[in-house]
Amino acid sequence: MLTLPNILTLSRIFTVPLLAAFLWWPEWRLGYAIAFAIYCLMGVTDYFDGYLARAQGTVSKLGVFLDPIADKIMVAAVILLLVATRTIAGWHLIAALVILLREITVSGLREFLGGIQVSVPVSRLAKWKTTLQLVALGALILARALPGWPWMLDVGLAALWGAAALTLVTGWDYLRVGLKHMDT
């Protein structure tokens, strides 16, 4: 069902290659500035697709399925490109890896639980995790666009570690709920 909210969600998925193209060259400050603008636009569509679906009463199974996938594709692509360009490097790779591993694990857990008709709603803490994660990645993109603002990199990396910490907490929460439904 192609409602406006679902079109917004799909637009995020189809925009990821464009975002990746602008993040490909770490020394191209204009490219990173454009990537930051695209990233922000993707964040706005993430907010509005859910808001519109609820406000219009058009929440659909397709939207419920695609929205978290769109988020995970965008986050994974940005993390991978920031690692490839060494914006995220050294010990900070651990925070990025924690985030990626949690996303994969929770996706698999949701798929398993969906197969046995168990729904795991998104917690408020998980929404805060997502927000901090998006702020962290946005700050890291902006740090490449504005090298004269070296503190922006520090903000992005600190937020990345904060998101990784929340990722561990929320990942454990989901896993704990999921384990109750698994055979021992």
Side-chain angles (χ1 to χ4, degrees):
M1 162 187 325
L2 283 183
T3 61
L4 179 57
N6 288 345
I7 291 169
L8 290 174
T9 301
L10 286 168
S11 75
R12 285 203 324 276
I13 293 170
F14 293 132
T15 304
V16 168
L18 180 64
L19 176 65
F22 283 106
L23 293 174
W24 193 257
W25 295 278
E27 303 308 319
W28 187 30
R29 287 188 287 171
L30 178 59
Y32 269 73
I34 293 168
F36 179 74
I38 292 169
Y39 182 80
C40 290
L41 183 60
M42 292 170 84
V44 169
T45 63
D46 185 25
Y47 171 78
F48 278 110
D49 64 9
Y51 173 79
L52 290 173
R54 287 185 298 277
Q56 297 173 347
T58 58
V59 174
S60 68
K61 289 179 183 177
L62 179 64
V64 170
F65 168 72
L66 284 179
D67 187 61
I69 289 173
D71 295 343
K72 287 170 184 24
I73 289 170
M74 180 180 76
V75 166
V78 171
I79 287 175
L80 289 173
L81 282 155
L82 292 177
V83 167
T85 60
R86 304 205 36 86
T87 304
I88 299 174
W91 287 101
H92 304 295
L93 291 171
I94 293 170
L97 186 59
V98 164
I99 290 169
L100 289 175
L101 291 177
R102 184 262 191 201
E103 297 302 338
I104 293 166
T105 303
V106 169
S107 293
L109 182 62
R110 284 184 180 278
E111 182 176 339
F112 167 78
L113 293 173
I116 59 171
Q117 306 298 311
V118 175
S119 175
V120 182
V122 177
S123 68
R124 186 173 301 276
L125 190 58
K127 290 184 181 201
W128 278 104
K129 181 271 312 174
T130 299
T131 301
L132 190 56
Q133 190 172 277
L134 294 176
V135 166
L137 297 178
L140 292 171
I141 292 169
L142 195 56
R144 284 283 190 176
L146 302 170
W149 293 7
W151 56 270
M152 186 60 69
L153 180 64
D154 295 332
V155 167
L157 293 172
L160 187 71
W161 279 102
L166 289 178
T167 289
L168 289 173
V169 172
T170 59
W172 173 249
D173 286 345
Y174 285 124
L175 187 58
R176 197 172 30 130
V177 169
L179 288 174
K180 292 178 184 176
H181 299 284
M182 294 184 188
D183 296 331
T184 54

